[in-house]
């Protein structure tokens, strides 16, 4: 289910960290429903043996312990084997299959605070990026392709210290897409085209355009990594939950329509190109403008 409210979108739009510190005891991870569309797509990636990427020699044991601790169900049942986080070989895949990928909705990576790099990733449904290309890279280099990323790059070292400092941090990333697929790996999927005019719905029908679009949201959390004795490691578990909702369901009120309209209208050309929204902005703005002025609340 979509946890994100369009009213949370920032106006004007800016590419910035937007971190929020979270308090409390969680739960911080989301169980994966086995029959869901997300589970089916994740399972295909796991069975193809391309979900897991790890720097040689990296010790994952403290991260696995922390994941089990964040999973409230495992605190009581004790069924999660913190020493052996992977299933054995199966008929579905010749190699060991990481249970983490199919246990939670979240994709995961480790951010190492000492080196500022990503030494481990378990990612099945990336949003137009290749996890294997990010392995071992510094935090700043990981985000180099992001549009208008100069402020982010300048603050990279400070951000790494912040999110590996022992607290829970959260941010939201959103876009609009013509694809209802979760897995948007650039080498596994062809980017879907924006809706075209048809005989039944000619050009200039922004409502028809909007009905074929999706709101894609990532809830990104940075969770502290601790050893079994409670020692805080200078590492963060980066947990990415991808959520999809038809755009016309996500935007229901005049206030939501105005909010999304103003954010889209404020995007720079660089951001529009990065998010592949340049061709979509005009019909989306028309639809949102009409919705924001509709009689309904």
């Amino acid at each position: 289910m979509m946890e994100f409210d369009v009213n949370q979108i920032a106006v004007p739009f800016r590419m910035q960290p937007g971190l929020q510190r979270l308090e409390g005891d969680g739960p911080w991870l989301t169980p994966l429903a086995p029959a869901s569309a997300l589970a089916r797509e994740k399972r295909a990636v796991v069975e193809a043996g391309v979900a897991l990427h790890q720097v040689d020699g990296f010790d994952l044991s403290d991260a696995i312990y922390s994941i089990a601790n964040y999973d409230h169900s495992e605190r009581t049942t004790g069924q999660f084997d913190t020493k052996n986080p992977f299933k054995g070989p199966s008929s579905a895949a010749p190699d060991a299959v990481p249970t983490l990928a199919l246990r939670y909705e979240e994709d995961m990576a480790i951010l190492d605070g000492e080196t500022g790099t990503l030494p481990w990733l378990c990612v099945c449904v990336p949003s137009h990026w290749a996890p294997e290309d990010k392995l071992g890279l510094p935090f700043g280099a990981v985000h180099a392709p992001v549009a208008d990323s100069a402020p982010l790059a300048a603050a990279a070292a400070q951000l790494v210290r912040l999110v590996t400092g022992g607290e829970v941090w959260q941010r939201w990333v959103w876009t609009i897409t013509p694809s209802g697929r979760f897995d948007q790996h650039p080498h596994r999927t062809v980017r879907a085209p924006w809706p075209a005019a048809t005989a039944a719905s000619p050009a200039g029908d922004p409502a028809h355009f909007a009905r074929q679009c999706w709101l894609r949201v990532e809830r990104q959390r940075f969770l502290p990594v601790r050893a079994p004795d409670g020692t805080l490691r200078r590492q963060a578990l980066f947990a990415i939950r991808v959520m999809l909702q038809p755009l016309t369901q996500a935007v229901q009120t005049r206030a939501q329509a105005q909010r999304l309209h103003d954010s889209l209208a404020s995007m720079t050309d660089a951001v529009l190109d990065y998010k592949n929204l340049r061709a979509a902005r005009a019909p989306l703005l028309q639809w949102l403008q009409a919705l924001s002025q509709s009689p309904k609340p």
Side-chain angles (χ1 to χ4, degrees):
M1 294 180 61
M2 182 72 75
E3 294 181 9
F4 185 74
D5 185 342
V6 171
N7 287 314
Q8 297 174 244
I9 289 174
V11 176
F13 182 89
R14 295 290 183 269
M15 299 294 284
Q16 56 189 3
L19 289 169
Q20 172 193 10
R21 184 169 58 188
L22 300 183
E23 306 288 349
D25 194 34
W28 304 124
L29 299 173
T30 312
L32 179 63
S36 65
L38 176 58
R40 290 194 296 272
E41 291 194 37
K42 294 190 78 171
R43 190 174 298 111
V45 176
V46 169
E47 292 177 355
V50 292
L52 184 64
H53 308 280
Q54 182 170 332
V55 170
D56 289 343
F58 177 69
D59 184 359
L60 189 62
S61 57
D62 289 339
I64 295 301
Y65 170 81
S66 297
I67 291 169
N69 195 49
Y70 289 129
D71 188 331
H72 285 202
S73 65
E74 299 309 327
R75 296 183 190 182
T76 56
T77 64
Q79 294 176 355
F80 194 86
D81 187 348
T82 60
K83 294 182 180 180
N84 181 19
F86 304 121
K87 291 180 181 177
S90 69
S91 58
D95 300 321
V97 179
T99 57
L100 298 180
L102 300 178
R103 193 178 192 89
Y104 307 106
E105 289 194 14
E106 287 83 2
D107 281 340
M108 301 181 188
I110 297 296
L111 174 61
D112 190 295
E114 298 291 342
T115 64
T117 64
L118 300 177
W120 180 86
L121 301 98
C122 187
V123 176
C124 296
V125 292
S127 300
H128 300 291
W129 59 284
E132 61 270 25
D133 294 342
K134 308 299 183 181
L135 183 65
L137 289 185
F139 186 78
V142 167
H143 292 87
V146 176
D148 297 345
S149 62
L152 181 63
Q158 179 182 354
L159 287 171
V160 170
R161 286 195 299 271
L162 180 69
V163 300
T164 60
E167 296 177 299
V168 177
W169 295 91
Q170 176 174 286
R171 67 188 295 258
W172 298 93
V173 177
W174 66 272
T175 193
I176 298 169
T177 173
S179 174
R181 280 185 57 90
F182 286 92
D183 181 11
Q184 294 292 329
H185 191 293
H187 306 321
R188 290 196 293 266
T189 60
V190 177
R191 191 185 282 269
W194 289 104
T198 66
S201 184
D205 184 353
H208 170 75
F209 187 94
R211 286 193 294 270
Q212 298 180 75
C213 295
W214 297 75
L215 179 67
R216 183 182 178 99
V217 175
E218 291 186 4
R219 188 194 67 192
Q220 301 178 356
R221 284 177 174 166
F222 295 88
L223 307 172
V225 173
R226 297 181 182 275
D229 64 2
T231 301
L232 178 68
R233 300 301 188 195
R234 280 208 59 197
Q235 294 177 354
L237 176 71
F238 183 40
I240 310 167
R241 183 187 181 197
V242 176
M243 293 168 277
L244 281 167
Q245 186 175 21
L247 183 62
T248 54
Q249 294 180 17
V251 182
Q252 292 283 313
T253 69
R254 290 198 302 262
Q256 289 174 327
Q258 190 66 56
R259 191 79 176 179
L260 182 54
H261 176 281
D262 293 348
S263 189
L264 275 172
S266 67
M267 288 182 177
T268 66
D269 288 344
V271 169
L272 290 172
D273 289 339
Y274 174 71
K275 289 180 171 287
N276 189 39
L277 287 171
R278 186 185 286 266
R281 179 160 70 168
L284 287 173
L285 288 179
Q286 292 175 41
W287 173 68
L288 291 165
Q289 183 69 25
L291 186 59
S292 70
Q293 298 173 353
S294 68
K296 69 179 183 179

